[in-house]
Amino acid sequence: MVDDERLMLRRFMRLAEGIDDLKVIGSFDDPFDALDFAEENDVDVAFLDIEMPEMDGIELARRLRAIRHDMLIVPVTAYESYIHESNRIGADYFIVKPYTEQVLKTAMEKLRLLAMKQDKDVRIQMFGRFLVKKNGQPVPLTGKAKEILALIVTRRGKEISNEEIYTTIWEGRPCDNASMSVYYNALKRLRVALDQAGLSGLLVSTRRGQTVDTSLFDCDFYDWKDKTADSRSKFEGEFLPEYTWSEYLIGEVMTF
C-alpha cells in the first residue's frame, strides 16, 4: 500500500485486518521506498494512491510493472476522473476514497479471480485474427480445423451441435452424413493438433456436438464481455475478420 497521507495508510491497514487473504507486507508514504521494497520482495498486488508528490501513482504503477509484469495494480483515489488514466496502464481494479471494509472485500474477490487467470498458460485471441497461444507461443492450427475451434470458442462453454458447426462453416452445402464427412475429418485434425500441443482437454465432445472447457484458458472476448479492466482498450474494431460467420457477432461486440 502506497499513500503519502499516513492517516489513509493507517485506515487501510486497519480495514485489511478483517480480510483473511489480504496480507499487507509493506505500507509506504514514499513511492521510492515502495519501489526499493518491490525489488527485494514478492508483491502480488499494489494499492496505490494516485496524487502523490515527486511521483504519482500512475508512474509508480508503470515502474512496479517493470519489476514484476504480473503484479496486480489497484489505484486508490478520491477522484473518479482518474479511471481513464488507470485503464491506460491496465489497472486491475479501482477504489474510490472514502472506502469501507466491504469495498476492500469486493476488490479482493475480483483480484482473486484475476490471480487465478494469471496462472493459466493458454490464451485465446479473438480480437483480430484467431490465435491460440500456450506459454506465449502460437499453437499450430490451420484451415477448417482452426475455424471449427474458433466457432466453438465463441459459445463460451455452451454446446454447439455438429450440424450447426457444419452448416455455419460449410454454408450452403447439403447437411447429411455423407456430406458432413468433411467436417468430421477436420474435427479429427483439430483433436490431433490439440493433443500434440498438450491441450487434449480443451475440446469437449458431447452426444450432440462440441464445447470447450473454459477453465483451461483466458480469452480477450470473454474479458470484454465481463468488462474486465483494460479489456476495452484491446478491441480495435476487428473480431475474427477471416471468418464470414463472425459478422453476426461483431454487432454484439460493438454495442456491448
Side-chain angles (χ1 to χ4, degrees):
M1 173 63 183
V2 186
D3 196 314
D4 64 313
E5 297 182 48
R6 294 190 177 184
L7 181 64
M8 295 306 300
L9 281 177
R10 290 195 293 269
R11 175 180 176 78
F12 184 91
M13 297 291 290
R14 185 176 70 254
L15 295 178
E17 290 177 357
I19 304 174
D20 291 339
D21 56 353
L22 178 51
K23 180 182 178 183
V24 183
I25 60 172
S27 61
F28 306 92
D29 58 12
D30 184 328
F32 293 98
D33 289 342
L35 283 173
D36 291 340
F37 182 84
E39 290 277 8
E40 303 294 332
N41 298 272
D42 281 336
V43 180
D44 297 313
V45 55
F47 296 85
L48 309 176
D49 183 32
I50 292 186
E51 287 198 345
M52 295 185 292
E54 298 186 45
M55 185 192 306
D56 63 31
I58 300 298
E59 177 60 27
L60 177 57
R62 291 192 180 99
R63 297 194 187 190
L64 287 171
R65 281 271 175 80
I67 295 172
R68 178 173 170 175
H69 75 278
D70 62 346
M71 187 184 301
L72 299 174
I73 300 294
V74 182
V76 183
T77 179
Y79 306 100
E80 293 189 25
S81 58
Y82 284 115
I83 291 179
H84 178 69
E85 194 70 19
S86 299
N87 283 340
R88 289 182 59 191
I89 60 165
D92 299 288
Y93 201 71
F94 192 90
I95 293 177
V96 179
K97 300 177 183 178
Y99 51 86
T100 63
E101 180 180 342
Q102 184 56 51
V103 169
L104 289 184
K105 286 182 177 179
T106 300
M108 286 304 298
E109 290 174 2
K110 301 291 185 180
L111 295 174
R112 287 186 205 104
L113 292 174
L114 289 170
M116 289 173 61
K117 283 187 174 183
Q118 288 183 342
D119 290 336
K120 297 176 184 177
D121 57 7
V122 179
R123 178 79 177 171
I124 294 183
Q125 172 186 304
M126 305 187 80
F127 291 160
R129 301 184 70 82
F130 184 70
L131 188 63
V132 180
K133 288 185 177 182
K134 182 179 180 182
N135 295 321
Q137 298 300 314
V139 175
L141 300 171
T142 59
K144 295 299 184 182
K146 183 178 182 180
E147 187 173 357
I148 288 171
L149 182 60
L151 178 59
I152 298 170
V153 171
T154 65
R155 299 304 174 91
R156 197 174 185 175
K158 293 181 179 179
E159 180 191 60
I160 177 171
S161 71
N162 292 316
E163 290 76 13
E164 184 176 353
I165 296 173
Y166 172 74
T167 57
T168 299
I169 295 179
W170 283 271
E171 186 178 6
R173 294 182 61 167
C175 185
D176 53 54
N177 289 335
S179 300
M180 285 183 63
S181 62
V182 64
Y183 159 66
Y184 288 112
N185 287 334
L187 186 64
K188 182 178 180 180
R189 293 197 302 274
L190 173 60
R191 289 198 185 100
V192 170
L194 292 175
D195 286 346
Q196 291 176 344
L199 300 176
S200 57
L202 193 147
L203 181 66
V204 180
S205 295
T206 65
R207 290 182 63 185
R208 296 181 60 253
Q210 311 296 324
T211 183
V212 286
D213 186 345
T214 59
S215 69
L216 299 181
F217 61 90
D218 292 329
C219 176
D220 51 5
F221 180 45
Y222 300 174
D223 290 345
W224 174 274
K225 298 195 74 172
D226 291 340
K227 300 182 180 179
T228 302
D230 197 39
S231 63
R232 290 187 173 274
S233 65
K234 297 175 182 176
F235 177 57
E236 298 179 352
E238 285 197 332
F239 179 75
L240 304 178
E242 67 268 49
Y243 307 131
T244 57
W245 49 260
S246 70
E247 294 176 2
Y248 79 94
L249 283 170
I250 192 68
E252 176 184 347
V253 179
M254 294 293 290
T255 58
F256 196 76

